[in-house]
Amino acid sequence: MTIRARTTVAAALSALVSLPLASCGTSTGAGGGAKGATVGLAMPTKVSQRWIDDGNNMVDELKQFGFGATLKYADNKPETQVAQVEEMIDEGVDALVIAAVDGHSLTGVLKKAAGAHIPVIAYDRLILGTPHVDYYTSFDNEMVGALQANYLAEEIGLINGTEQGPFTVELFAGSADDNNTRYFWKGAMDVLRPHIQNKELVVRSGQTALDDVTTLRWDGDAAERRMDDILDEHYSTGRVDAVLSPYDGMSLGIIKALKAHGYGGDGKPLPLITGQDAEVPSVRSIIAGEQTQTVYKDTRQLALVTSYMVNAVIRDKKPVTNDGTTYDNGEKVVPAYLLDPVSVDRSNYREELVDSGYIDQSDLD
């Protein structure tokens, strides 16, 4: 994170340690310390560069507070993550930051964390079905979906009234076991559903329910296979004009399927295709005119906000939150701090991603 960005976020969170902790029954954690405390970081996978960066950013930010960190990746296996979290509890970490592989799988191990008085912060993915999660840090997830859907509707000409359609669209969603999926979907469908209902947008596959369009573990290969099937079954004639894809890795798989069906060649341009996370391969694809858009979430800021929150709970203070009503995990409404995402395409990628230091220009050349 640039010094300017870190200073700006830090100023916004200057009240983070000003109030005594007044919730959840957690105190200072197993170690009982502050400076010199150790934080357990449980991340889902190294398949996505995004999560590698998240882990490294969290370690770096926690060092600014004098905290050590134990960082583990679960290879997208819920049982592995449960075992890793249990090991960190046994080692006596002072706080846990968890980006869940499966939001429903941690109930038992977090009960053990509560018994050891270890505060738990859900990182980017809400942990479900347990009262033993204290806080949540993420981006405005409904806004992510709305940014994707509004981009499609605007670029295709529906919102500004330049085109009336009908246009064809196919819909993809993320992993069913990731709580963010339903928020991304709601944000997107609040925008797209009226256009589908008035037949300005046509989903030829008929797959318009969330349960029909989820993609386990956000897997790009699975998205590619589903896009292949849709094109084979529903687009033997005509073409698809737009694809709602919630994540960059899926978007690249979808593009592979489209290219295998002749898209991207003369007379058959690729459809509009959204994405999320501003991963380098997808930004390259956007520059090349293939993927159309991505949603940029500055995970440097997320790591900074989360590390301030860790600092507060370890010191028996109440962290700043800016959402106390939205994120009900089935057992409680989890207080959250949400950051704003940004829509990125060829017109603004340099300003948003390169000039801010998020991506090096050399990685895009």
Side-chain angles (χ1 to χ4, degrees):
M1 174 176 288
T2 63
I3 292 174
R4 184 181 64 147
R6 193 179 193 283
T7 302
T8 300
V9 176
L13 300 175
S14 60
L16 237 161
V17 295
S18 63
L19 298 170
L21 186 65
S23 64
C24 310
T26 53
S27 57
T28 55
K35 186 177 178 64
T38 299
V39 180
L41 305 174
M43 295 287 155
T45 179
K46 286 186 173 182
V47 170
S48 167
Q49 183 63 42
R50 176 260 157 100
W51 291 112
I52 297 173
D53 292 341
D54 276 282
N56 292 337
N57 290 338
M58 279 300 307
V59 171
D60 291 343
E61 293 297 345
L62 289 169
K63 283 180 181 178
Q64 301 289 327
F65 291 99
F67 300 154
T70 299
L71 172 61
K72 295 182 182 294
Y73 287 87
D75 195 29
N76 264 337
K77 298 175 181 175
E79 65 277 11
T80 298
Q81 187 166 66
V82 169
Q84 290 173 339
V85 171
E86 185 164 22
E87 182 180 358
M88 288 189 278
I89 293 168
D90 291 341
E91 290 171 353
V93 297
D94 296 272
L96 286 163
V97 175
I98 303 172
V101 175
D102 178 345
H104 294 277
S105 68
L106 295 158
T107 303
V109 74
L110 293 192
K111 185 175 182 180
K112 181 174 181 178
H117 304 292
I118 299 172
V120 175
I121 297 169
Y123 184 92
D124 201 44
R125 297 176 173 180
L126 187 62
I127 299 169
L128 304 172
T130 174
H132 305 303
V133 53
D134 299 288
Y135 295 99
Y136 176 47
T137 58
S138 188
F139 294 82
D140 186 325
N141 295 311
E142 284 193 26
M143 186 186 294
V144 171
L147 287 173
Q148 292 166 340
N150 273 307
Y151 189 90
L152 292 181
E154 288 173 1
E155 290 298 309
I156 214 166
L158 296 177
I159 287 181
N160 58 26
T162 59
E163 300 289 346
Q164 299 301 314
F167 299 98
T168 55
V169 64
E170 293 298 333
L171 310 173
F172 285 74
S175 195
D177 55 13
D178 183 342
N179 189 63
N180 286 352
T181 290
R182 64 189 178 99
Y183 288 98
F184 298 150
W185 180 256
K186 182 181 185 303
M189 293 309 290
D190 282 350
V191 174
L192 295 181
R193 188 174 292 107
H195 297 294
I196 293 170
Q197 289 174 339
N198 68 19
K199 303 190 186 312
E200 292 175 320
L201 289 175
V202 176
V203 184
R204 283 197 188 179
S205 69
Q207 297 168 6
T208 59
L210 178 58
D211 288 346
D212 296 330
V213 301
T214 54
T215 310
L216 185 63
R217 306 285 184 263
W218 306 82
D219 183 64
D221 291 339
E224 179 182 357
R225 290 191 296 271
R226 180 167 169 257
M227 190 76 237
D228 266 324
D229 291 342
I230 288 171
L231 292 169
D232 286 341
E233 294 176 23
H234 303 286
Y235 290 89
S236 58
T237 60
R239 64 183 303 277
V240 58
D241 296 306
V243 180
L244 175 72
S245 171
Y247 161 58
D248 285 350
M250 290 170 55
S251 307
L252 295 182
I254 289 164
I255 290 170
K256 286 182 182 178
L258 288 160
K259 285 185 171 181
H261 285 76
Y263 287 83
D266 292 340
K268 197 174 185 180
L270 285 161
L272 299 170
I273 304 167
T274 61
Q276 179 182 185
D277 282 348
E279 294 184 342
V280 167
S282 276
V283 178
R284 289 176 180 157
S285 179
I286 288 170
I287 295 168
E290 295 185 345
Q291 186 173 325
T292 319
Q293 179 257 16
T294 189
V295 175
Y296 164 46
K297 302 188 303 186
D298 191 340
T299 55
R300 299 167 301 176
Q301 292 190 28
L302 185 61
L304 179 58
V305 166
T306 307
S307 63
Y308 265 88
M309 190 172 277
V310 168
N311 182 56
V313 297
I314 285 179
R315 295 176 184 274
D316 281 346
K317 306 295 182 180
K318 183 179 179 180
V320 166
T321 58
N322 60 10
D323 187 303
T325 61
T326 304
Y327 290 92
D328 187 336
N329 77 347
E331 288 289 332
K332 65 185 288 188
V333 175
V334 182
Y337 195 101
L338 305 180
L339 294 161
D340 288 338
V342 178
S343 180
V344 169
D345 63 6
R346 289 179 78 178
S347 71
N348 68 340
Y349 81 87
R350 190 179 301 277
E351 174 188 356
E352 295 292 345
L353 304 177
V354 178
D355 293 350
S356 71
Y358 190 76
I359 294 177
D360 291 335
Q361 181 61 49
S362 59
D363 291 331
L364 302 177
D365 294 336

